[in-house]
Amino acid sequence: MIISTINQLGLWGWWVLGLTLLAFEIVVPGFFLFWIGLAALAVGALSLLLWETPIWAWQVQALAFAALSVAAIMIGRRWTGANKLSDEPFLNDRGASLVGRTAILVEPITNGKGRIRLDDTTWQVMGPNLPAGAQVRIIASHGRDLTVEAA
């Protein structure tokens, strides 16, 4: 059934595919199907020019569609700035956002481990042996453990 529909559409199949992908872009979140839809429309435009030539077999059309899809996605990502750095680089990494801050030890660091209190949370810290009440500076974050040094 699908093959017969494709055969009936002929060169207009690429236009239908492109417009369908553009319509799905409205429903699906993100900005990805738009670029693939543009690639399908570009292959449709090429089909209008090359449909009767023997070189424009379905395999060549599929390769053109794949290449144009990749090119459109890469150009689209560059154009929309999808790879921009965030103004909040540590938004989802709370431990990394603490690097550079100072705190007071609430439990002494013995055998390399102790605890500090920052804001409303206590954190396990690793560092040199220090007594409770000593001021420390956070120098690194490893998951939920923080590495500190004497401040």
Side-chain angles (χ1 to χ4, degrees), residues 23-147:
F24 279 153
E25 182 62 45
I26 296 170
V27 178
V28 178
F31 196 49
F32 186 74
L33 293 177
F34 177 77
W35 306 111
I36 299 174
L38 286 182
L41 292 176
V43 173
L46 286 172
S47 292
L48 288 174
L49 299 172
L50 302 172
W51 191 258
E52 297 297 326
T53 61
I55 195 170
W56 199 241
W58 70 268
Q59 295 93 338
V60 175
Q61 293 176 38
L63 287 174
F65 175 64
L68 287 172
S69 293
V70 169
I73 291 167
M74 291 174 67
I75 291 169
R77 288 181 58 86
R78 181 170 298 220
W79 183 64
T80 60
N83 294 331
K84 285 184 183 176
L85 294 177
S86 171
D87 60 340
E88 296 281 342
F90 302 119
L91 182 63
N92 293 321
D93 191 359
R94 185 171 178 204
S97 70
L98 300 175
V99 173
R101 289 187 60 184
T102 58
I104 305 293
L105 286 171
V106 292
E107 291 179 16
I109 299 178
T110 54
N111 297 327
K113 294 196 178 207
R115 295 191 78 73
I116 62 170
R117 182 170 204 68
L118 276 174
D119 302 326
D120 62 346
T121 307
T122 59
W123 293 81
Q124 183 169 348
V125 294
M126 299 178 293
N129 290 342
L130 294 169
Q135 189 170 12
V136 293
R137 179 181 296 105
I138 302 167
I139 58 172
S141 168
H142 308 284
R144 63 185 184 137
D145 295 332
L146 303 173
T147 303

Side-chain angles (χ1 to χ4, degrees), residues 2-25:
I2 294 174
I3 294 175
S4 65
T5 304
I6 292 172
N7 287 334
Q8 287 176 352
L9 289 174
L11 66 97
W12 297 105
W14 289 109
W15 289 92
V16 170
L17 176 63
L19 293 174
T20 303
L21 287 170
L22 290 177
F24 279 153
E25 182 62 45

